[in-house]
Amino acid sequence: MDHETLVAFSKSWGLFYLIIFAIGVLVYAFWPANRKRFDRAKKSILDDDDRPGKGE
């Protein structure tokens, strides 16, 4: 196996791996069972009462 063959193999399978990984992330992000978790994370930033000047 020479260098050019190894580079071609790694490029094609690396692209395949990244596409599969991106699809997996999208499926996880849009899976209906995860909606509550993401909504809670979205609103948790607004629940904190750490505002500048609050202690004054």
Side-chain angles (χ1 to χ4, degrees), residues 6-48:
L6 186 63
V7 168
F9 178 78
S10 64
K11 281 183 178 181
S12 61
W13 283 103
L15 178 63
F16 177 72
Y17 170 75
L18 288 175
I19 289 172
I20 294 299
F21 183 73
I23 290 171
V25 167
L26 286 173
V27 166
Y28 175 76
F30 290 108
W31 198 261
N34 291 331
R35 180 179 296 270
K36 284 194 284 186
R37 177 184 303 166
F38 289 132
D39 284 341
R40 188 172 54 240
K42 178 175 70 173
K43 294 177 183 175
S44 70
I45 269 184
L46 301 175
D47 291 340
D48 292 337

